[in-house]
């Protein structure tokens, strides 16, 4: 279709020139211009037309050359852009004219040039964000080779990196905020004012005071742990003062309403409360000095009760007996009693789990001994209502519990002695020696009782014999016994022996 149009245009051009020449000839004829002049004029027309066409050909040739040059330039630019932007080389479609090739290459260069600018602009923005985050978090900036154009993948990785840093910043900021709030609250509870620069910065309300670094987090965590230890120390001091005040109140027999009134009046921070309780202890200490004899007597009663509670024997109490019997009631004597009482209390607190197990063992040991005594009582078989079965079950339970408790004591005492570096004594004996002694004494008592029963049995057998004839005795199992109203009952092993009244007489 385009070739037909160009042919038509060429034919029209030739026709136009012919018409123009014919018109010129007509004009020349009308003017009476001779042939020679006509030829000259035609030569002039020819030169004008050829000059015009030659100029057009020259311009078009220049355009063609410029287009080819552009193609080469654009190809080079495209190769450079694709290499810089980590893209595959651009491939042209086959069968394209030079003009189409130039146009496609030019448009592609424009697109890639714009994308290059966009990438560099985005990279600059990401680097600014990264710089700020790295400064706050004290981390190494994200590495991007200097002078390079980041690929789409690299930009995506950069964005993911910044997202991770932002989340880390939020996480650290939350940790910082929590630590500072905890430190601030602890200081308020203790009534302590910030002294060091770290403490001052910790309680300051400005959020930009701290860089969100791991080192600063560790510093705040250390400060928080120190504050907790200090608060715990103050709490212990307060508890000791309260305990001391309670002890003095009890010794001085203070009225309950006075105690309650003082406790209700105590307010403020830990430091304030410690000051108030210390004042009360000091006041009670002054009153105590005027009542030394009564106070020391009460301390002695408390000390003896605590000795008993700790199962301490005579040898363990002996070192303090001289002070227990001292009648010279002085502040020094009271201090000695208080020190001994504190020592025994500390021992009780340390050994309380073992003492509780020992108390449990002694409880089951007493039950075991009681069951052993009942086993020798023939009257218990006259009991009804399942008491014997219940007693047998309880006895089995006691027999199972005793060795368990003894093993628990053995392992517990070994561990305790290893930790404390001292022996655990019960009535002056090692605990397993004490238990072995109890078993040995029980064994000896059983042996003695058995000998007494054997001796009694022999006397009874001699009593029922005659010189001429053996007493009649009928031996029955429990399932075939006659009525108890006609027969006296004696217990012997698993059988019942019934004797007639005639034989008894």
């Amino acid at each position: 279709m385009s070739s037909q149009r160009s042919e038509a245009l060429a034919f029209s051009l030739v026709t136009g020139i012919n018409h123009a020449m014919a018109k010129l000839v007509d004009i020349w004829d009308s003017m009476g211009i001779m042939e020679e002049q006509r030829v000259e004029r035609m030569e002039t027309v020819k030169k004008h037309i050829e000059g015009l066409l030659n100029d057009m050909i020259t311009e078009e040739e220049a355009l063609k050359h410029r287009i080819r040059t552009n193609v080469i330039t654009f190809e080079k630019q495209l190769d450079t852009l694709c290499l810089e932007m980590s893209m595959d080389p651009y491939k042209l479609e086959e069968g394209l004219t030079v003009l189409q090739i130039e146009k496609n290459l030019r448009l592609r260069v424009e697109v890639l040039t714009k994308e290059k600018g966009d990438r560099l602009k985005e990279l600059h923005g990401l680097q600014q964000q990264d710089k700020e985050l790295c400064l706050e978090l004290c981390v190494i900036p994200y590495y991007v080779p200097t002078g390079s154009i980041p690929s789409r993948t690299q930009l995506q990785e950069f964005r993911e990196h910044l997202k991770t840093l932002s989340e880390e910043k939020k996480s650290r900021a939350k940790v910082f905020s929590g630590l500072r709030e905890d430190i601030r609250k602890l200081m308020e509870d203790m009534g302590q004012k910030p002294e060091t620069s770290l403490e001052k910065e910790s309680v300051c309300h400005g959020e930009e005071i701290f860089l969100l670094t791991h080192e600063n987090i560790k510093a705040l965590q250390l400060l928080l742990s120190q504050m907790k230890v200090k608060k715990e120390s103050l709490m212990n001091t307060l508890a000791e003062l309260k305990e001391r005040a309670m002890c003095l109140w009890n010794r001085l027999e203070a009225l309950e309403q006075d105690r309650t009134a003082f406790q209700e009046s105590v307010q403020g921070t830990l430091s304030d409360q410690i000051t108030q309780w210390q004042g009360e202890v000091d006041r009670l200490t002054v009153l105590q000095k005027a009542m030394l004899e009564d106070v020391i007597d009460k301390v002695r009663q408390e000390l003896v009760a605590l000795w008993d509670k700790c199962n301490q024997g005579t040898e363990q109490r002996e070192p303090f007996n001289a002070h227990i019997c001292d009648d010279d009631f002085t502040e020094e004597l009271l201090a000695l009693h208080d020190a001994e009482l504190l020592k025994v209390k500390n021992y009780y607190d340390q050994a309380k789990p073992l003492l509780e197990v020992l108390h449990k063992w002694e409880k089951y040991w007493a039950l075991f001994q009681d069951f052993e005594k009942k086993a020798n009582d023939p009257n218990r078989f006259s009991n009804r209502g399942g008491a014997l079965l219940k007693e047998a079950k309880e006895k089995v339970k006691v027999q199972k519990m005793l060795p368990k408790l003894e093993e628990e004591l053995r392992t517990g005492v070994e561990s305790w002695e290893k930790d404390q570096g001292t022996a655990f004594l019960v009535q002056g004996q090692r605990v397993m020696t004490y238990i072995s002694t109890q078993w040995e004494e029980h064994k000896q008592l059983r042996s003695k009782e058995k000998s007494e029963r054997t001796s009694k049995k022999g006397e009874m057998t001699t009593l029922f014999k005659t010189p001429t004839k053996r007493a009649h005795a009928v031996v029955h199992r429990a399932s075939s016994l006659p009525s108890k109203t006609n027969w006296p009952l004696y217990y012997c092993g698993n059988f019942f022996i019934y004797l007639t009244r005639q034989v008894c007489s």
Side-chain angles (χ1 to χ4, degrees), residues 46-60:
K46 177 185 175 185
K47 286 180 182 180
H48 277 296
I49 293 173
E50 287 178 351
L52 178 62
L53 291 175
N54 287 334
D55 290 341
M56 293 181 66
I57 290 171
T58 301
E59 290 178 4
E60 294 302 316

Side-chain angles (χ1 to χ4, degrees), residues 333-390:
L333 184 63
L334 177 60
L336 290 172
H337 280 71
D338 282 337
E340 181 67 15
L341 184 63
L342 180 61
K343 184 180 79 171
V344 180
K345 278 184 177 179
N346 290 337
Y347 172 80
Y348 177 76
D349 290 338
Q350 293 171 353
K352 187 176 180 180
L354 291 178
L355 292 171
E356 289 176 349
V357 177
L358 179 63
H359 176 72
K360 194 174 182 181
W361 181 86
E362 289 177 335
K363 175 185 173 183
Y364 277 101
W365 177 248
L367 288 173
F368 174 75
Q369 291 178 310
D370 188 48
F371 286 135
E372 290 290 300
K373 289 179 183 178
K374 287 182 180 179
N376 299 324
D377 182 10
N379 293 326
R380 71 195 182 101
F381 289 100
S382 62
N383 201 342
R384 291 294 183 267
L388 286 176
L389 181 59
K390 183 179 179 182

Side-chain angles (χ1 to χ4, degrees), residues 21 36 48 79 88 98 118 121 130 173 186 229 246 288 314 344 419 427 469 471 474 477 483 497 499:
M21 290 303 297
E36 292 179 1
H48 277 296
D79 290 341
D88 295 332
V98 175
D118 292 341
K121 184 177 179 181
D130 185 55
L186 282 174
V229 170
M246 294 289 181
Q288 181 180 247
T314 305
V344 180
D419 293 338
Q427 299 298 330
K469 190 174 180 181
V474 183
R477 289 193 178 274
S483 172
I497 302 176
L499 304 175

Side-chain angles (χ1 to χ4, degrees), residues 4 41 95 143 162 176 180 284 341 386 419 443 461 482 504:
Q4 290 177 357
R41 281 179 166 74
Y143 175 71
L162 290 179
F176 264 81
R180 294 175 68 186
L284 295 172
L341 184 63
D419 293 338
K443 183 179 178 181
T461 304
C504 291

Side-chain angles (χ1 to χ4, degrees), residues 71 74 98-108:
V71 168
F74 289 150
V98 175
L99 194 62
Q100 289 173 325
I101 291 173
E102 189 270 347
K103 179 182 178 181
N104 289 354
L105 291 174
R106 174 169 47 79
L107 292 176
R108 186 61 180 166

Side-chain angles (χ1 to χ4, degrees), residues 468-483:
T468 58
K469 190 174 180 181
R470 180 181 296 176
H472 294 283
V474 183
V475 180
H476 298 279
R477 289 193 178 274
S479 59
S480 59
L481 293 177
S483 172

